[in-house]
Amino acid sequence: MPPANRPSPIGGILAAADQVILGKSRQTRLALCCLLAKGHLLIEDLPGVGKTTLAHTLARLLGFQFARVQFTSDMLPADVLGVSIFDREHSNFRFLPGPVFSQVLLADEINRATPKTQSALLEAMEEGQVTTEGETRPLPQPFFVIATQNPSTQVGTFPLPESQLDRFLMRIELGYPDHDAERLLLESGGRRDRLPTLAARLAPEDFAALQQQAAAVHASPALLDYLQLLVEATRNDPRLVHGLSPRAALSLLAAARTWAFTDGRQMVLPEDVQAVLPAVACHRLRLVSGSHAGAADIDTLIRAVPLA
């Protein structure tokens, strides 16, 4: 839709992001919707297609405190959460917070770390706090994890467990740029050098207000009926090992509300649910063949569920 119809400053944020992430307006909007819905984002794709740049761009435009962790196979949970060291001057232990104590944590190539290190983020993503050495410490608010991962077929990757995948409200793929976007990249030498010039369009408290407005977007009983039919269809689909959970259904509704909100509307339409369903559902649904559901499987599901 035209940016002029979008609630301010949503249009400005998306327009600025599109100047850095070329030709990926839909994926950028999905990523922003995920954060507006108070969810964590997983970006899966090949190296070099802009996953990390997208995370950097959103954090800068939204004015969030940002930390990046490059996940590797030799990382330990303490490298993410923090560690206590002995302070000789005061003869006691002092906790040094890890990078998780930020508003946006970029977990870069998260599936290159072992499951033990991956699991260090479970409590943080679900509860907004971490427990280390018997003490629970709250995280800054808002708190988001934007994780990138390489395809599981690549060497040196560890698959994310289902419990961790379910913590991500959305999973998106960027894919290769189209011909025109890639030509612009070649002519300009890339767009990462624009990151330092990006100015914050919001303060954290302003973003919290937008989140509240998005959460207040109306979902009619008929819309909820349609959403429930979609969820129930996943549970009865013989192609799937299991269907969407109640938490996934809540995530789907929250994402549909933010999609409508970024479209400048105060009512959720079935098209909003359909627009966000692949990003919300694909990483949560596993086919009996062993692979995760794809966009074609979700499209088949949508066609099978009547609107009326």
Side-chain angles (χ1 to χ4, degrees):
M1 68 172 287
N5 294 334
R6 290 180 173 137
S8 179
I10 297 296
I13 292 172
L14 292 175
D18 287 344
Q19 296 301 309
V20 180
I21 311 296
L22 299 178
K24 300 298 176 183
S25 297
R26 178 179 176 81
Q27 290 90 332
T28 301
R29 183 178 169 190
L30 280 170
L32 180 59
C33 285
C34 183
L35 302 185
L36 281 170
K38 302 182 180 180
H40 306 289
L41 176 66
L42 179 63
I43 310 173
E44 179 178 0
D45 219 313
L46 295 168
V49 296
K51 303 186 300 294
T52 303
T53 304
L54 174 57
H56 272 283
T57 299
L58 287 175
R60 293 191 69 91
L61 290 174
L62 298 176
F64 289 142
Q65 178 192 359
F66 178 81
R68 176 181 179 271
V69 178
Q70 178 64 53
F71 278 67
T72 58
S73 60
D74 59 348
M75 280 189 64
L76 298 174
D79 296 324
V80 180
L81 303 180
V83 65
S84 291
I85 62 171
F86 186 71
D87 188 338
R88 292 186 177 182
E89 182 179 350
H90 298 92
S91 298
N92 60 10
F93 283 91
R94 179 166 55 91
F95 181 72
L96 294 180
V100 74
F101 288 88
S102 58
Q103 291 177 317
V104 173
L105 174 68
L106 171 57
D108 218 356
E109 296 185 308
I110 188 174
N111 60 335
R112 291 199 178 277
T114 62
K116 180 178 181 180
T117 301
Q118 293 173 10
S119 66
L121 290 174
L122 284 175
E123 182 185 12
M125 296 172 69
E126 185 68 18
E127 307 292 341
Q129 63 184 30
V130 296
T131 302
T132 57
E133 300 168 359
E135 184 176 348
T136 299
R137 298 176 174 88
L139 295 173
Q141 293 300 317
F143 172 72
F144 301 109
V145 172
I146 301 179
T148 70
Q149 72 169 359
N150 297 327
S152 58
T153 54
Q154 293 199 337
V155 175
T157 59
F158 299 86
L160 294 180
E162 303 294 338
S163 59
Q164 183 130 26
L165 281 173
D166 195 51
R167 261 62 173 191
F168 289 101
L169 190 145
M170 287 188 188
R171 179 186 71 89
I172 63 174
E173 299 176 359
L174 292 181
Y176 295 121
D178 60 31
H179 179 83
D180 292 338
E182 191 162 36
R183 184 57 175 261
L184 283 174
L185 283 173
L186 292 172
E187 291 176 346
S188 64
R191 295 298 176 102
R192 282 186 63 90
D193 58 349
R194 297 194 177 194
L195 286 174
T197 68
L198 291 178
R201 300 298 182 98
L202 290 173
E205 57 271 20
D206 298 327
F207 190 75
L210 290 177
Q211 287 178 316
Q212 293 177 356
Q213 295 172 36
V217 171
H218 178 65
S220 68
L223 186 282
L224 295 180
D225 288 341
Y226 176 65
L227 188 147
Q228 281 191 284
L229 286 174
L230 285 171
V231 171
E232 290 168 0
T234 67
R235 298 169 183 172
N236 299 321
D237 194 328
R239 301 173 302 157
L240 302 174
V241 176
H242 52 73
L244 294 176
S245 67
R247 175 163 58 188
L250 289 170
S251 297
L252 179 58
L253 178 58
R257 280 190 163 115
T258 59
W259 188 264
F261 179 71
T262 58
D263 209 20
R265 288 180 282 106
Q266 290 300 313
M267 175 177 287
V268 183
L269 302 177
E271 290 82 357
D272 301 319
V273 179
Q274 295 169 356
V276 299
L277 183 59
V280 173
C282 281
H283 63 292
R284 292 180 163 97
L285 298 176
R286 189 176 292 277
L287 302 173
V288 292
S289 62
S291 61
H292 280 103
D297 301 302
I298 300 301
D299 187 56
T300 300
L301 178 72
I302 291 173
R303 292 199 307 269
V305 177
L307 280 173

